[in-house]
Amino acid sequence: MSDPITLDHDEAATARAANAMRVTIVGAGVAGLTCAHAFAQRGAQVTVIERKSGSGQGCSWYAGGMLAPWCERESAEPLVAELGFESLDYWRREVPGVPAEGSLVLAQARDLPDLKRFSRRTEGYEWIDGARLGELEPDLAGRFEQGLFFPTEAHLEPRKALAALTGRLVSEYGVTFRYQSDVSSEVYDPASSSAPVDDEADVVLDCRGLAARDVLADLRGVKGEMLVLYSTEISLKRPVRMLHPRIPVYIVPRGDGHFMIGATSIENDERGRVTGRSLLELLSAVYALHPAFGEAEVVEIGADVRPAFPDNLPRIRRRGRTILVNGFYRHGFLLAPALARRAAELAFDGTHFPEVMDEDRREW
Amino acid sequence: MDAYTPHTAADPVEFYGTQVNSRLLLGTAQYPSPAILAEAIRASAAEIVTVSLRRESGAAKAGQSEPGKALAGQSFWQLIRDLGVKVLPNTAGCKTVKEAVTTAEMARELFDTPWIKLEVIGEDDTLQPDVFGLVEAARILTRDGFQVFPYTTDDLIVADKLLAAGCEVLMPWGAPIGSGRGLNNPYGLRSMRAHFPRVPLVVDAGVGLPSHAAAAMEFGYDAVLLNTAVAKAGDPVKMARAFALAIEAGREGFRADPMEARDMAAPSTPVMGQAHFG
């Protein structure tokens, strides 16, 4: 082959493309798209196959989009926070409109023990009083005496973020998207080294979320329900978590008067159905945060099922030339970029990541 | 961490004819993950776990005539079954007799057990049992072949009516569910023990610390049921083991026939025969 330096630009690009790793990614949720980015950045020629009609329309559609590793540290394993910091940097670097306003954790006076407990389990916060809360969020002035402020955290709008990422993948990296493609187990056989999903692919990435349960026996579904409210009577700059012994909720401001309220967490893999009880609980909790939410318009209610392994930690597994990236549980946006980078380094460099690879098969 | 192993000879307790060696009944809600839940159960050597069945589990969907079976394949339930422990399903969060009875029926189908921990909640802030609804639901369920473990208060008359309704176990609260306040009314719990010397009694709810569980066992209670104190501890596995140790200590203390408390000091070394100086 000719020395690439002597070729003109177009020829060099053609030569690169000819030698590029060909990668087929199944699933255009947050896992698939961040993987597409990580592989494309390394020069791979990437095709994304998705059964829905667009990007991010599965579980990612209903995500809160909080980039809050310190807050998650309260109940999640330290690994989630570690991966979360990496992902927080990624989103702020790669996607426009990721406000780094921090996050707030509040509790009603009767639930102060929960706030104290929360504070003991994590770091990266300051205790704030009612006056400081009023400075941070004027509309919450006088409503709470104490709270925790995590200044380094951020949040994003999942749907916009994934649309932006999809746009970049197409325009900057020439990634091909094939929507409404059948990716059921009949056409996709990860156990086979010649998976018929794409005979030309060097690597197949399975980013199907819960649908990958046909090949990941220990994957389970954890249902989450959410709603979107619209109100012009209140504005918030940052996500607020309201602690409650039974009904913890969070409110993520989405801009233009929209607020995402989430999310239940139910050991159940039923998609779609939102119950009266869940709605009642989410709404009562958010009403307790501010009565303006009682007058808000209900714009959307939704539910989907998060994929999780028994320890609620993410995994990268290999089956022949297929790499499976899954098990993000409640932390899709917080984990995906960190897992995507690892998946790419595994494929390109053979790097082993014991923290997320529980099946130790170092040979490639 | 090593799993807890009892240090004493077998000292089983019997519920509805079923003998178990562990006197710790563990709830399965609110753990950081199913993996940690499983490890906590192993570490404590608990043999009975309670499982709450939220009705929204898809069961109420129209057209599903066998809601329990529809759920049976789901991962979380499978995981619980795989632990090899006895499952005591509960009717947590039910506020009416009808709701509790329906949930109990679903649970029986799903877990294939006549056992049911019966909760009929009367009020949201204290999660206090509605004792009137409780007695009524207990009567209905017992008649229907259930073996009912009623979550009740320490009221003796309610206890009597539950026994009359067919319950063979009583589970009085220590304090409101999830409060971690311990045994709010030691007098009430002791007098319940004294009134019902032969009925298996389980302190259920409100236990926050291993010492609370030890105290209940020292009163002569047969077992302790708890959930939040373990699930919400920083290290649930370690706390599960701590409770198992405390329950064993309390039980052994009770069986050893403790001394009576007295108002004045009583020298623990004999004074008779001591040398007199000066």
Side-chain angles (χ1 to χ4, degrees):
Chain A
M1 184 184 124
S2 325
D3 179 356
I5 294 164
T6 65
L7 299 175
D8 68 33
H9 178 75
D10 281 351
E11 283 172 314
T14 311
R16 261 204 318 276
N19 291 317
M21 180 188 282
R22 279 162 302 187
V23 179
T24 297
I25 297 178
V26 189
V30 70
L33 295 176
T34 50
C35 280
H37 193 197
F39 278 77
Q41 278 180 318
R42 297 288 301 261
Q45 190 185 317
V46 179
T47 302
V48 179
I49 302 177
E50 164 62 48
R51 67 177 164 178
K52 300 211 166 156
S53 58
S55 292
Q57 294 187 2
C59 203
S60 303
W61 189 254
Y62 302 101
M66 290 182 294
L67 303 171
W70 288 123
C71 282
E72 296 304 334
R73 180 67 195 88
E74 181 261 338
S75 58
E77 302 274 340
L79 176 65
V80 171
E82 283 165 34
L83 298 169
F85 291 118
E86 182 180 336
S87 300
L88 174 60
D89 290 343
Y90 171 89
W91 291 115
R92 296 208 60 207
R93 193 175 62 236
E94 303 292 347
V95 165
V98 180
E101 299 282 356
S103 29
L104 280 168
V105 180
L106 302 173
Q108 294 195 293
R110 53 189 279 173
D111 298 326
L112 278 183
D114 293 321
L115 197 61
K116 288 185 182 143
R117 179 183 170 278
F118 195 104
S119 74
R120 278 208 314 275
R121 300 277 161 80
T122 188
E123 297 164 52
Y125 62 86
E126 52 195 77
W127 277 100
I128 58 168
D129 59 10
R132 176 86 173 110
L133 176 63
E135 290 166 20
L136 290 165
E137 295 290 358
D139 284 345
L140 298 181
R143 301 197 58 80
F144 297 87
E145 292 302 314
Q146 276 183 304
L148 304 174
F149 176 47
F150 294 77
T152 58
E153 298 184 336
H155 65 283
L156 51 70
E157 213 286 37
R159 299 169 191 182
K160 286 184 185 157
L162 293 189
L165 186 54
T166 301
R168 279 193 64 192
L169 289 172
V170 173
S171 64
E172 290 177 36
Y173 299 98
V175 172
T176 307
F177 281 84
R178 279 168 35 205
Y179 295 119
Q180 291 177 299
S181 296
D182 188 0
V183 291
S184 63
S185 51
E186 294 88 66
V187 297
Y188 168 71
D189 177 18
S192 153
S193 57
S194 57
V197 65
D198 187 348
D199 286 335
E200 300 298 310
D202 300 307
V203 174
V204 175
L205 277 156
D206 182 340
C207 299
R208 289 181 297 154
L210 193 62
R213 198 152 49 165
D214 53 359
V215 287
L216 294 168
D218 50 349
L219 203 61
R220 76 184 199 287
V222 181
K223 180 177 170 180
E225 296 151 297
M226 55 77 83
L227 58 150
V228 178
L229 298 180
Y230 172 75
S231 171
T232 51
E233 290 175 37
I234 178 169
S235 73
L236 296 172
K237 290 195 187 68
R238 51 186 67 76
V240 178
R241 290 168 193 246
M242 274 280 282
L243 302 184
H244 185 280
R246 278 180 303 127
I247 323 160
V249 300
Y250 56 79
I251 297 100
V252 188
R254 290 270 167 95
D256 300 329
H258 288 81
F259 299 87
M260 185 272 190
I261 318 295
T264 55
S265 201
I266 301 166
E267 289 290 348
N268 172 346
D269 52 20
E270 179 201 38
R271 286 181 198 275
R273 198 173 66 107
V274 177
T275 64
R277 176 194 284 203
S278 296
L279 264 189
L280 182 69
E281 289 182 346
L282 291 172
L283 282 170
S284 337
V286 81
Y287 182 65
L289 177 75
H290 199 289
F293 287 114
E295 299 301 319
E297 178 187 343
V298 179
V299 175
E300 180 184 344
I301 56 176
D304 211 321
V305 183
R306 317 162 176 105
F309 290 105
D311 58 5
N312 294 342
L313 292 174
R315 297 280 193 286
I316 295 175
R317 287 179 181 165
R318 273 185 284 174
R319 304 275 195 279
R321 63 168 185 162
T322 299
I323 299 176
L324 298 104
V325 182
N326 215 317
F328 292 173
Y329 182 48
R330 296 195 297 113
H331 307 119
F333 281 79
L334 194 63
L335 297 177
L339 270 289
R341 177 180 70 78
R342 284 164 174 75
E345 287 182 26
L346 167 69
F348 280 94
D349 314 323
T351 314
H352 182 74
F353 296 95
E355 71 276 22
V356 292
M357 294 174 64
D358 58 342
E359 294 178 348
D360 192 2
R361 291 184 203 158
R362 283 160 192 273
E363 79 283 2
W364 180 237
Chain B
M1 188 192 302
D2 291 343
Y4 159 81
T5 38
H7 298 87
T8 51
D11 170 30
V13 57
E14 195 173 304
F15 301 114
Y16 289 101
T18 299
Q19 279 198 350
V20 289
N21 290 310
S22 166
R23 290 166 179 271
L24 169 61
L25 285 67
L26 209 50
T28 55
Q30 303 185 76
Y31 289 77
S33 69
I36 290 175
L37 160 65
E39 216 185 316
I41 290 171
R42 278 194 292 272
S44 69
E47 292 169 63
I48 299 175
V49 300
T50 65
V51 171
S52 102
L53 203 64
R54 283 184 73 153
R55 291 196 47 210
E56 67 199 60
S57 307
K61 229 176 191 175
Q64 281 185 358
S65 53
E66 293 181 298
K69 293 211 170 74
L71 284 173
Q74 296 201 355
S75 320
F76 186 73
W77 310 122
Q78 191 54 50
L79 193 138
I80 299 277
R81 275 190 294 260
D82 290 348
L83 291 168
V85 289
K86 291 176 183 63
V87 173
L88 173 57
N90 68 38
T91 63
C94 291
K95 289 185 177 163
T96 63
V97 172
K98 187 163 182 277
E99 221 184 338
V101 169
T102 308
T103 306
E105 285 164 355
M106 261 173 58
R108 177 163 63 181
E109 242 179 279
L110 176 54
F111 292 105
D112 197 21
T113 171
W115 284 11
I116 188 75
K117 176 188 160 184
L118 182 60
E119 282 186 28
V120 183
I121 298 299
E123 207 265 328
D124 266 342
D125 282 338
T126 58
L127 297 177
Q128 180 158 347
D130 165 6
V131 293
F132 302 96
L134 183 69
V135 172
E136 191 187 334
R139 197 177 294 125
I140 295 169
L141 290 171
T142 311
R143 209 183 295 140
D144 196 22
F146 282 93
Q147 297 173 339
V148 177
F149 295 62
Y151 164 61
T152 181
T153 65
D154 48 34
D155 188 288
L156 300 178
I157 310 308
V158 172
D160 252 335
K161 293 195 184 300
L162 287 167
L163 295 174
C167 297
E168 294 176 22
V169 178
L170 296 172
M171 304 212 294
W173 64 354
I177 295 172
S179 70
R181 302 191 66 83
L183 311 181
N184 262 356
N185 183 5
Y187 162 77
L189 291 172
R190 280 178 189 273
S191 69
M192 198 163 182
R193 178 72 286 177
H195 269 78
F196 305 105
R198 268 173 285 282
V199 177
L201 295 183
V202 181
V203 165
D204 177 8
V207 171
L209 294 171
S211 55
H212 300 151
M217 298 309 292
E218 287 165 7
F219 291 175
Y221 272 70
D222 294 280
V224 176
L225 193 162
L226 55 97
N227 186 346
T228 312
V230 167
K232 288 288 189 185
D235 185 339
V237 178
K238 199 185 274 294
M239 190 59 92
R241 194 167 177 280
F243 269 103
L245 291 165
I247 285 168
E248 182 187 342
R251 175 67 184 168
E252 285 293 278
F254 170 73
R255 291 173 82 200
D257 191 7
M259 65 174 281
E260 291 298 323
R262 50 186 296 141
D263 290 337
M264 293 299 163
S268 54
T269 32
V271 285
M272 292 290 283
Q274 274 184 346
H276 287 273
F277 295 103

